[in-house]
Amino acid sequence: MRSRWAALALAVLCAACRQNARASLQTPALPSDVAADARAAMARRDWETAAPLLRQAIPSAPDSVALHYELAICATYLELGDEATREFQWVLEHAQAGSEEATVARTWLIQTGGQTARAAAIDRPVAERDRSDSKVGGSGVRGVVEWAEAGQGVQPLDRKLLHLIGLKNTPTSGLRYSIRTDASGRYGFEQIVAGPYKLTDVIAGRPIWRLKITVADAEEAVVDLGPNNSAKVRDDFPEPGPS
């Protein structure tokens, strides 16, 4: 169980580091600097110290997405499943649609099965959940996901989580959509904004796929994922190697 929680926690670690860097700009300063002390503890990976400080800070800034998000991250490392689920659900409901916080919260809840009625729309693309949002467009991406596990032939991947991530300095900058494949390995992003994206299966860590795609306005792109366009064969966003 500990290894399972550790693996899930790693999925949000990179996002947590970026969050710490900008959180002080999002949360009002507290008289006792409790939030600052909590973030300093998180920077040291001292989750046991950070969590109670964040619980103390939240009543002074109850609408702070940053504080709830940070407490959820601490709870994942401390294996406090109920608290992590509760805080990530709060983040999913209050964070800006398509934001990093909402994407990480949605992914964690899906992976742990922490869905409730309040997060019932978790498996649908962000745009589909909020049709009044400016991130809703008239384009789409669909396809089939297949993979060959060791010793097996190529077969559809069901319930595979996929992400569309907008590219910086383009019309899709800051946009993120997530969805899972169905039982036949099919997926479909609907009502997304046209433009270039990174299509991948992970937020952090080693991907199976990492492709650059461009979606035309009012059209539906077809992108099948399989061994022939995996990151081992084609990686459109290679990470820089050691200097």
Side-chain angles (χ1 to χ4, degrees), residues 183-208:
S184 300
R186 293 188 297 266
Y187 74 92
F189 292 96
E190 299 178 357
Q191 294 185 309
I192 66 173
V193 175
Y197 290 92
K198 175 168 66 174
L199 175 59
T200 184
D201 60 309
V202 298
I203 295 176
R206 181 176 298 178
I208 298 179

mmCIF file of all heavy atoms in Angstrom, residues 183-208:
data_model
loop_
_atom_site.group_PDB
_atom_site.id
_atom_site.type_symbol
_atom_site.label_atom_id
_atom_site.label_comp_id
_atom_site.label_asym_id
_atom_site.label_seq_id
_atom_site.Cartn_x
_atom_site.Cartn_y
_atom_site.Cartn_z
ATOM 1 N N ALA A 183 -14.064 1.032 -23.217
ATOM 2 C CA ALA A 183 -13.704 -0.385 -23.139
ATOM 3 C C ALA A 183 -13.052 -0.897 -24.415
ATOM 4 O O ALA A 183 -12.351 -1.914 -24.397
ATOM 5 C CB ALA A 183 -14.944 -1.214 -22.814
ATOM 6 N N SER A 184 -13.266 -0.196 -25.536
ATOM 7 C CA SER A 184 -12.675 -0.603 -26.817
ATOM 8 C C SER A 184 -11.420 0.184 -27.157
ATOM 9 O O SER A 184 -10.904 0.077 -28.272
ATOM 10 C CB SER A 184 -13.706 -0.435 -27.942
ATOM 11 O OG SER A 184 -14.847 -1.234 -27.698
ATOM 12 N N GLY A 185 -10.944 0.986 -26.211
ATOM 13 C CA GLY A 185 -9.749 1.782 -26.445
ATOM 14 C C GLY A 185 -10.000 3.075 -27.197
ATOM 15 O O GLY A 185 -9.054 3.778 -27.547
ATOM 16 N N ARG A 186 -11.263 3.415 -27.447
ATOM 17 C CA ARG A 186 -11.574 4.644 -28.174
ATOM 18 C C ARG A 186 -11.607 5.838 -27.219
ATOM 19 O O ARG A 186 -11.993 5.710 -26.061
ATOM 20 C CB ARG A 186 -12.916 4.517 -28.887
ATOM 21 C CG ARG A 186 -12.931 3.498 -30.020
ATOM 22 C CD ARG A 186 -14.244 3.582 -30.786
ATOM 23 N NE ARG A 186 -15.374 3.238 -29.933
ATOM 24 C CZ ARG A 186 -15.902 2.025 -29.843
ATOM 25 N NH1 ARG A 186 -15.391 1.030 -30.553
ATOM 26 N NH2 ARG A 186 -16.932 1.793 -29.059
ATOM 27 N N TYR A 187 -11.224 6.995 -27.748
ATOM 28 C CA TYR A 187 -11.316 8.231 -26.976
ATOM 29 C C TYR A 187 -11.831 9.339 -27.880
ATOM 30 O O TYR A 187 -11.783 9.231 -29.113
ATOM 31 C CB TYR A 187 -9.954 8.625 -26.394
ATOM 32 C CG TYR A 187 -8.978 9.183 -27.411
ATOM 33 C CD1 TYR A 187 -8.890 10.553 -27.647
ATOM 34 C CD2 TYR A 187 -8.151 8.338 -28.156
ATOM 35 C CE1 TYR A 187 -8.006 11.069 -28.587
ATOM 36 C CE2 TYR A 187 -7.266 8.844 -29.092
ATOM 37 C CZ TYR A 187 -7.199 10.207 -29.305
ATOM 38 O OH TYR A 187 -6.329 10.718 -30.237
ATOM 39 N N GLY A 188 -12.317 10.396 -27.270
ATOM 40 C CA GLY A 188 -12.793 11.526 -28.053
ATOM 41 C C GLY A 188 -12.826 12.801 -27.233
ATOM 42 O O GLY A 188 -13.574 12.901 -26.262
ATOM 43 N N PHE A 189 -11.984 13.758 -27.584
ATOM 44 C CA PHE A 189 -12.047 15.093 -26.991
ATOM 45 C C PHE A 189 -13.021 15.914 -27.835
ATOM 46 O O PHE A 189 -12.839 16.031 -29.050
ATOM 47 C CB PHE A 189 -10.672 15.766 -27.006
ATOM 48 C CG PHE A 189 -9.664 15.134 -26.089
ATOM 49 C CD1 PHE A 189 -8.763 14.195 -26.569
ATOM 50 C CD2 PHE A 189 -9.602 15.489 -24.752
ATOM 51 C CE1 PHE A 189 -7.820 13.619 -25.733
ATOM 52 C CE2 PHE A 189 -8.669 14.919 -23.902
ATOM 53 C CZ PHE A 189 -7.777 13.982 -24.395
ATOM 54 N N GLU A 190 -14.018 16.493 -27.200
ATOM 55 C CA GLU A 190 -15.021 17.262 -27.922
ATOM 56 C C GLU A 190 -15.016 18.718 -27.469
ATOM 57 O O GLU A 190 -14.644 19.029 -26.340
ATOM 58 C CB GLU A 190 -16.413 16.664 -27.696
ATOM 59 C CG GLU A 190 -16.550 15.227 -28.178
ATOM 60 C CD GLU A 190 -17.922 14.655 -27.886
ATOM 61 O OE1 GLU A 190 -18.739 15.373 -27.265
ATOM 62 O OE2 GLU A 190 -18.176 13.504 -28.267
ATOM 63 N N GLN A 191 -15.432 19.591 -28.369
ATOM 64 C CA GLN A 191 -15.601 21.015 -28.085
ATOM 65 C C GLN A 191 -14.336 21.648 -27.503
ATOM 66 O O GLN A 191 -14.368 22.370 -26.516
ATOM 67 C CB GLN A 191 -16.784 21.228 -27.141
ATOM 68 C CG GLN A 191 -18.117 20.843 -27.772
ATOM 69 C CD GLN A 191 -19.289 21.162 -26.883
ATOM 70 O OE1 GLN A 191 -19.301 20.788 -25.710
ATOM 71 N NE2 GLN A 191 -20.267 21.858 -27.420
ATOM 72 N N ILE A 192 -13.211 21.354 -28.126
ATOM 73 C CA ILE A 192 -11.952 21.945 -27.693
ATOM 74 C C ILE A 192 -11.596 23.116 -28.609
ATOM 75 O O ILE A 192 -12.096 23.236 -29.722
ATOM 76 C CB ILE A 192 -10.814 20.911 -27.693
ATOM 77 C CG1 ILE A 192 -10.505 20.444 -29.117
ATOM 78 C CG2 ILE A 192 -11.154 19.725 -26.802
ATOM 79 C CD1 ILE A 192 -9.278 19.561 -29.216
ATOM 80 N N VAL A 193 -10.726 23.967 -28.125
ATOM 81 C CA VAL A 193 -10.263 25.118 -28.897
ATOM 82 C C VAL A 193 -9.288 24.643 -29.976
ATOM 83 O O VAL A 193 -8.431 23.790 -29.719
ATOM 84 C CB VAL A 193 -9.578 26.134 -27.969
ATOM 85 C CG1 VAL A 193 -8.973 27.287 -28.770
ATOM 86 C CG2 VAL A 193 -10.578 26.660 -26.943
ATOM 87 N N ALA A 194 -9.422 25.175 -31.177
ATOM 88 C CA ALA A 194 -8.534 24.791 -32.273
ATOM 89 C C ALA A 194 -7.118 25.295 -32.024
ATOM 90 O O ALA A 194 -6.907 26.321 -31.370
ATOM 91 C CB ALA A 194 -9.057 25.355 -33.590
ATOM 92 N N GLY A 195 -6.136 24.551 -32.547
ATOM 93 C CA GLY A 195 -4.747 24.963 -32.419
ATOM 94 C C GLY A 195 -3.832 23.799 -32.106
ATOM 95 O O GLY A 195 -4.245 22.635 -32.150
ATOM 96 N N PRO A 196 -2.571 24.087 -31.759
ATOM 97 C CA PRO A 196 -1.592 23.029 -31.500
ATOM 98 C C PRO A 196 -1.643 22.537 -30.049
ATOM 99 O O PRO A 196 -1.912 23.307 -29.131
ATOM 100 C CB PRO A 196 -0.259 23.718 -31.794
ATOM 101 C CG PRO A 196 -0.510 25.152 -31.429
ATOM 102 C CD PRO A 196 -1.945 25.427 -31.784
ATOM 103 N N TYR A 197 -1.368 21.250 -29.875
ATOM 104 C CA TYR A 197 -1.388 20.638 -28.547
ATOM 105 C C TYR A 197 -0.288 19.584 -28.429
ATOM 106 O O TYR A 197 0.204 19.061 -29.432
ATOM 107 C CB TYR A 197 -2.717 19.921 -28.286
ATOM 108 C CG TYR A 197 -3.907 20.810 -28.117
ATOM 109 C CD1 TYR A 197 -4.700 21.150 -29.213
ATOM 110 C CD2 TYR A 197 -4.272 21.300 -26.867
ATOM 111 C CE1 TYR A 197 -5.815 21.960 -29.068
ATOM 112 C CE2 TYR A 197 -5.391 22.102 -26.710
ATOM 113 C CZ TYR A 197 -6.158 22.430 -27.812
ATOM 114 O OH TYR A 197 -7.257 23.227 -27.660
ATOM 115 N N LYS A 198 0.041 19.269 -27.187
ATOM 116 C CA LYS A 198 0.786 18.053 -26.883
ATOM 117 C C LYS A 198 -0.223 17.000 -26.453
ATOM 118 O O LYS A 198 -1.005 17.223 -25.532
ATOM 119 C CB LYS A 198 1.810 18.288 -25.771
ATOM 120 C CG LYS A 198 2.528 16.999 -25.336
ATOM 121 C CD LYS A 198 3.732 17.288 -24.461
ATOM 122 C CE LYS A 198 3.382 17.890 -23.136
ATOM 123 N NZ LYS A 198 4.566 18.030 -22.250
ATOM 124 N N LEU A 199 -0.225 15.856 -27.127
ATOM 125 C CA LEU A 199 -1.083 14.731 -26.769
ATOM 126 C C LEU A 199 -0.214 13.704 -26.061
ATOM 127 O O LEU A 199 0.743 13.181 -26.641
ATOM 128 C CB LEU A 199 -1.726 14.129 -28.019
ATOM 129 C CG LEU A 199 -2.570 12.861 -27.824
ATOM 130 C CD1 LEU A 199 -3.721 13.102 -26.862
ATOM 131 C CD2 LEU A 199 -3.095 12.359 -29.169
ATOM 132 N N THR A 200 -0.534 13.413 -24.802
ATOM 133 C CA THR A 200 0.305 12.523 -24.010
ATOM 134 C C THR A 200 -0.552 11.736 -23.034
ATOM 135 O O THR A 200 -1.753 12.018 -22.871
ATOM 136 C CB THR A 200 1.385 13.328 -23.251
ATOM 137 O OG1 THR A 200 2.258 12.432 -22.554
ATOM 138 C CG2 THR A 200 0.753 14.297 -22.264
ATOM 139 N N ASP A 201 0.063 10.770 -22.380
ATOM 140 C CA ASP A 201 -0.671 9.947 -21.421
ATOM 141 C C ASP A 201 -0.216 10.186 -19.988
ATOM 142 O O ASP A 201 -0.662 9.480 -19.082
ATOM 143 C CB ASP A 201 -0.522 8.461 -21.773
ATOM 144 C CG ASP A 201 0.925 7.998 -21.760
ATOM 145 O OD1 ASP A 201 1.761 8.665 -22.407
ATOM 146 O OD2 ASP A 201 1.230 6.984 -21.114
ATOM 147 N N VAL A 202 0.663 11.153 -19.760
ATOM 148 C CA VAL A 202 1.112 11.445 -18.401
ATOM 149 C C VAL A 202 1.195 12.950 -18.198
ATOM 150 O O VAL A 202 1.339 13.720 -19.152
ATOM 151 C CB VAL A 202 2.493 10.824 -18.093
ATOM 152 C CG1 VAL A 202 2.449 9.315 -18.183
ATOM 153 C CG2 VAL A 202 3.565 11.398 -19.006
ATOM 154 N N ILE A 203 1.103 13.368 -16.943
ATOM 155 C CA ILE A 203 1.369 14.757 -16.584
ATOM 156 C C ILE A 203 2.834 14.900 -16.203
ATOM 157 O O ILE A 203 3.504 15.854 -16.570
ATOM 158 C CB ILE A 203 0.469 15.201 -15.420
ATOM 159 C CG1 ILE A 203 -0.999 15.186 -15.852
ATOM 160 C CG2 ILE A 203 0.856 16.597 -14.934
ATOM 161 C CD1 ILE A 203 -1.953 15.511 -14.735
ATOM 162 N N ALA A 204 3.322 13.936 -15.440
ATOM 163 C CA ALA A 204 4.730 13.914 -15.052
ATOM 164 C C ALA A 204 5.214 12.477 -15.139
ATOM 165 O O ALA A 204 4.453 11.538 -14.933
ATOM 166 C CB ALA A 204 4.907 14.461 -13.640
ATOM 167 N N GLY A 205 6.481 12.309 -15.449
ATOM 168 C CA GLY A 205 7.029 10.970 -15.571
ATOM 169 C C GLY A 205 7.242 10.581 -17.025
ATOM 170 O O GLY A 205 7.099 11.388 -17.940
ATOM 171 N N ARG A 206 7.585 9.330 -17.239
ATOM 172 C CA ARG A 206 7.911 8.847 -18.581
ATOM 173 C C ARG A 206 6.632 8.501 -19.339
ATOM 174 O O ARG A 206 5.836 7.678 -18.892
ATOM 175 C CB ARG A 206 8.806 7.622 -18.490
ATOM 176 C CG ARG A 206 9.215 7.051 -19.846
ATOM 177 C CD ARG A 206 10.183 5.908 -19.683
ATOM 178 N NE ARG A 206 11.414 6.353 -19.032
ATOM 179 C CZ ARG A 206 12.417 5.534 -18.726
ATOM 180 N NH1 ARG A 206 12.333 4.246 -19.001
ATOM 181 N NH2 ARG A 206 13.502 6.011 -18.136
ATOM 182 N N PRO A 207 6.417 9.099 -20.508
ATOM 183 C CA PRO A 207 5.188 8.835 -21.257
ATOM 184 C C PRO A 207 5.325 7.639 -22.190
ATOM 185 O O PRO A 207 6.427 7.251 -22.573
ATOM 186 C CB PRO A 207 5.016 10.119 -22.073
ATOM 187 C CG PRO A 207 6.436 10.508 -22.395
ATOM 188 C CD PRO A 207 7.240 10.139 -21.156
ATOM 189 N N ILE A 208 4.184 7.072 -22.561
ATOM 190 C CA ILE A 208 4.170 6.126 -23.676
ATOM 191 C C ILE A 208 4.068 6.899 -24.983
ATOM 192 O O ILE A 208 4.711 6.568 -25.972
ATOM 193 C CB ILE A 208 2.997 5.135 -23.542
ATOM 194 C CG1 ILE A 208 3.133 4.313 -22.263
ATOM 195 C CG2 ILE A 208 2.954 4.197 -24.752
ATOM 196 C CD1 ILE A 208 2.000 3.328 -22.043
#
